[in-house]
Amino acid sequence: NAGVMQNPRHLVRRRGQEARLRCSPMKGHSHVYWYRQLPEEGLKFMVYLQKENIIDESGMPKERFSAEFPKEGPSILRIQQVVRGDSAAYFCASSPQGQEEGLAVEQYFGPGTRLTVT
Amino acid sequence: QKEVEQDPGPLSVPEGAIVSLNCTYSNSAFQYFMWYRQYSRKGPELLMYTYSSGNKEDGRFTAQVDKSSKYISLFIRDSQPSDSATYLCAMRKTDSWGKLQFGAGTQVVVTP
């Protein structure tokens, strides 16, 4: 019973390069969420996706960041032209259904990808 | 002012003691409340989930929600060294789909 899988677990990029972070949700889950955790800070919501749809991207920086969850394959968080301030742990979570009133809609987290920008 | 406030600790307790954690929030639109445990360099693990005011118990864990005071708590009975971790409160508004807002996390150390 595999949980949420993320890869790579560690990623080192030089300033200006692109970073691609992948997330495979739990089996049967069709909703994916991305969060960023900076050192000594709590998790900050970035984006919520359903298959082929972005539901809420209110936490995404306006530039350089994008996310997708295609019909087939994992969800991808893409950071273009990385800067040192992008160094953080990026966590993906998944849930079996949407955030409907009254339903238990727990989010289950993966182990994270730790991005270091040099 | 942050919408969700949580004392970062560290909170150090002896083995067997009760660990008491809490968070306050400022927006009454928060209706769903969760507690996660995060070990160092790992992903958060869901411990408890509550919707309404009152208590919810699961083994050694008890979660309390007081919506009138905008205050939530997590109690861990008979604490063990394996409970040493960072505990994150999280909450969601009814109209914000999947967006969880987290507290900064409280680091707990249980000493043998």
Side-chain angles (χ1 to χ4, degrees):
Chain A
N1 184 19
V4 178
M5 299 176 68
Q6 291 187 248
N7 66 81
R9 296 292 306 278
H10 301 275
L11 182 62
V12 179
R13 284 287 178 266
R14 291 193 177 131
R15 278 181 298 171
Q17 291 185 319
E18 178 180 287
R20 281 186 178 235
L21 288 63
R22 288 178 290 278
C23 169
S24 296
M26 287 179 70
K27 186 176 181 180
H29 288 195
S30 58
H31 298 257
V32 164
Y33 317 83
W34 285 93
Y35 292 81
R36 176 165 61 176
Q37 188 173 38
L38 294 168
E40 308 304 323
E41 293 188 22
L43 284 87
K44 304 293 185 189
F45 170 82
M46 299 181 75
V47 64
Y48 164 29
L49 308 109
Q50 200 178 348
K51 284 285 188 181
E52 299 185 281
N53 287 307
I54 296 175
I55 307 299
D56 180 356
E57 56 181 348
S58 59
M60 287 281 270
K62 294 289 186 282
E63 297 176 348
R64 302 187 298 108
F65 286 73
S66 62
E68 63 177 5
F69 189 17
K71 187 176 180 180
E72 301 291 337
S75 175
I76 306 287
L77 179 67
R78 182 182 178 206
I79 311 172
Q80 295 179 288
Q81 300 176 320
V82 296
V83 299
R84 289 223 172 110
D86 297 332
S87 295
Y90 291 83
F91 291 97
C92 167
S94 71
S95 68
Q97 55 204 3
Q99 310 301 304
E100 294 157 18
E101 184 75 21
L103 293 178
V105 281
E106 301 93 335
Q107 295 182 18
Y108 297 89
F109 281 79
T113 294
R114 280 160 181 80
L115 172 66
T116 302
V117 180
T118 61
Chain B
Q1 182 188 5
K2 294 180 183 177
E3 284 195 289
V4 181
E5 297 277 2
Q6 184 176 9
D7 188 330
L11 179 64
S12 183
V13 299
E15 183 176 357
I18 294 176
V19 177
S20 174
L21 302 162
N22 58 77
C23 287
T24 59
Y25 59 97
S26 58
N27 194 325
S28 58
F30 287 119
Q31 296 290 320
Y32 299 87
F33 305 93
M34 287 133 277
W35 286 95
Y36 284 84
R37 177 176 62 196
Q38 186 176 24
Y39 291 111
S40 180
R41 307 190 75 77
K42 302 289 185 184
E45 173 192 2
L46 181 64
L47 290 175
M48 301 284 283
Y49 180 105
T50 56
Y51 171 64
S52 57
S53 284
N55 293 359
K56 184 176 181 180
E57 192 171 316
D58 184 1
R60 296 185 297 114
F61 299 92
T62 299
Q64 286 185 353
V65 174
D66 182 348
K67 289 185 178 178
S68 62
S69 300
K70 298 188 179 65
Y71 188 90
I72 67 171
S73 301
L74 178 72
F75 300 95
I76 308 172
R77 291 183 297 281
D78 188 25
S79 58
Q80 305 295 312
S82 58
D83 294 326
S84 298
T86 296
Y87 291 81
L88 303 159
C89 65
M91 46 195 80
R92 179 175 79 80
K93 301 173 186 175
T94 51
D95 62 349
S96 65
W97 294 87
K99 180 178 180 178
L100 294 182
Q101 291 190 230
F102 283 83
T106 298
Q107 184 186 359
V108 172
V109 178
V110 181
T111 54

